[in-house]
Amino acid sequence: MTTPTVADTWTARVADRIAHLVPPGQALPDRQPAYVASWIYVFGVTTLAGLAVVLVTGSVLAVGGATWWHVSSFGHFVNSAHLWSTEVFMGSMVIHLWGKFWMAAWRGNRALTWITGVLAFVASIGAAFTGYLSQTNLDSQWISTQAKDGLNSIGVGAYFNVLNPGQMLMWHIVLMPFFIGVITVMHIVLVRRHGVVPPIDAEEGVR
Amino acid sequence: MKTRTPDSHDFPTRRYDLVKEFVIALAVISLLTVGLAAVFSSPDEKAITMAGWAKAAPNDVVATAASELAGTSGSATYGPPYNHNGPGQMMLGVPMQRWGGVRVPVDSAGLVLDPLRGATSDQAARTALTAWSAATPAQQTAWATAYGDALAKVPDGDPAKVAAGDYGPVPALTSAFLALASSGGLEGTLTASGTFYGIDATRSLLLLSDGAYLEDNARASNLGGDQWGMMNEFGNYPGQPWMWLYTFWYQVKPFSTSDNADALVWGLMALLTLGLMFLPFLPGLRSIPRWIPVHRLIWRRTVTHVKPVP
């Protein structure tokens, strides 16, 4: 009987895989390429910061429950912070997206980085939308009864019922944040793996 | 000539404190959020209650109840996922709405009759329910349709002004339904759906949207579908501006005049989203940033990489 080497264990393979997700020293480097010198780069970080504030304010709302903010002035304030952090988060992400478009940031084997970014954007729209459906007020009544027609028209409404606030709240506070969290981690790992895309004018011809 | 993107790690570097940048960003965004919340607050228009609807627009409640009984309301003729009474929308001939199936079954007449059966102790209403149940479906439809038509002919749909006719028990049923709605007991019977916990509002929202009151409220706040309402919210708040493109299509032909507008808009948005996602692989579109050199506003200085591209 042969004794398995350390490298043969599942744990060792996963550990090796994680260790090589990004080049050595690039997980959290304290230096960046010299061309990373524009305000546009800030919006990736402000998007992350916005997401953090969205999660924190949403978590405080979760402590009080789905309808707490209707009857508590502090709850209403937290809801306001949740709303405005969402606006800032989405605004930052849109600017980040446009910036990356004009940089053609998918160059140099970065297509998956771009795709995960778009997925995060689409998922964030879904998360915000389910938030509007979970407010238990007139906005929820109107938006849900309007939105049902679009989702029903493509058969999705049979499974994703926007008129059921119980289902929408679960999507809003569990499924969407989980997906956005996972896709955001993937996006950041890919950014660190490939580094910040070099300038278009730095490209060189190849035979 | 083909080009190759050099490795980002082959360029000269400069100090860049990512953690400090994130902490500062977090502090700024937190302060900005708190400031915006303190100054602008957030909208919280109270939900319309059935009692509120009955008080503000009693004739609308009666007309809606008659349409549910007649099978002519929006939900009664909707099709999937609520019933089989409509074909559903098609996307370029593909019946995707029908493919979804009837997975959220809703009997529109039941929106009126179930609460009455479960809640009313009024003898006249019980007699009307018995008469309704004893009639054939064709007779039920004829009574309710005739009453609905009669309501539509009188000013403001006032039931008191309806001409005499063969309406069977329908006026008594709709009157009892209005009384039940006014009492505040309607939401519970519709939302609970036989369970203790009422967290599914499908039936009550369908009933509410079958009436005109909800839409009248929304249109008064410029939230109609043809008023870019999908992306806005009550009051002067930004709403969901990131949904502008989705909402835009509803404002223009052929979508604004199509019976299949929802399916077509969703199909188009799915196509555009896939296009955005796979932009790196789309010849022409992926070259736009090279043709329109906005990137020179970002990368103002020429930076040469250290290692030559092989």
Side-chain angles (χ1 to χ4, degrees), chain A residues 32 34 36 114 141 149 161 203, chain B residues 5 12 14 48 78 202 239 276:
Chain A
Q32 288 293 330
V36 182
W114 172 267
Q141 288 178 315
D149 298 329
N161 181 9
E203 293 194 335
Chain B
T5 305
R14 59 190 280 264
I48 292 174
Y78 197 91
T202 301
L276 180 66

Side-chain angles (χ1 to χ4, degrees), chain A residues 113-206:
Chain A
T113 314
W114 172 267
I115 289 170
T116 52
V118 173
L119 279 175
F121 178 57
V122 173
S124 299
I125 290 174
F129 173 63
T130 52
Y132 276 91
L133 300 177
S134 305
Q135 293 184 104
T136 59
N137 61 9
L138 184 52
D139 270 320
S140 299
Q141 288 178 315
W142 177 243
I143 293 171
S144 62
T145 52
Q146 287 295 290
K148 75 180 191 307
D149 298 329
L151 289 155
N152 290 340
S153 73
I154 53 168
V156 171
Y159 304 87
F160 184 81
N161 181 9
V162 294
L163 302 184
N164 182 347
Q167 186 187 12
M168 292 304 102
L169 183 62
M170 296 307 282
W171 274 79
H172 183 62
I173 67 173
V174 180
L175 300 176
M176 299 309 301
F178 177 76
F179 181 75
I180 291 172
V182 169
I183 206 76
T184 300
V185 169
M186 286 176 64
H187 186 69
I188 292 170
V189 167
L190 284 165
V191 170
R192 297 306 335 132
R193 181 182 180 88
H194 296 289
V196 180
V197 70
I200 291 177
D201 289 341
E203 293 194 335
E204 290 189 354
V206 292

Side-chain angles (χ1 to χ4, degrees), chain A residues 43-57:
Chain A
F43 288 96
V45 174
T46 56
T47 304
L48 270 182
L51 177 60
V53 179
V54 168
L55 290 173
V56 168
T57 52

